[in-house]
Amino acid sequence: MAEYEKKVRLVLKEFGCHFVRHGKGDHDIWYSPITNRNFSVDGEIRIRHVANGIMKQAGIDKHF
């Protein structure tokens, strides 16, 4: 299985997104200046569709 967690966080940082706080469980809350919204990022992203969903919430047009 592929691990997308590190790749997702690197892309988020490249586009100016930043960590806001820890959420419930192993989720973290991030902020996107593109969409001006907070969104959650799971601590273990093993499914490509989940990684792409996070990119969509952040307003980033990147697909894994």
Side-chain angles (χ1 to χ4, degrees):
M1 268 192 204
E3 289 286 333
Y4 293 100
E5 188 258 330
K6 290 180 182 178
K7 295 175 188 176
V8 167
R9 291 177 190 265
L10 284 174
V11 172
L12 291 175
K13 288 179 183 178
E14 287 176 10
F15 282 87
C17 299
H18 64 272
F19 172 81
V20 176
R21 64 181 172 86
H22 293 291
K24 290 188 175 185
D26 65 345
H27 288 76
D28 292 330
I29 307 299
W30 283 62
Y31 172 78
S32 171
I34 299 167
T35 61
N36 198 27
R37 293 178 52 190
N38 289 338
F39 57 96
S40 66
V41 177
D42 194 356
E44 292 185 12
I45 304 168
R46 295 184 177 170
I47 302 171
R48 179 176 51 93
H49 299 294
V50 174
N52 290 338
I54 293 170
M55 295 291 110
K56 185 175 181 179
Q57 288 181 1
I60 299 170
D61 188 30
K62 168 144 177 73
H63 302 287
F64 292 99

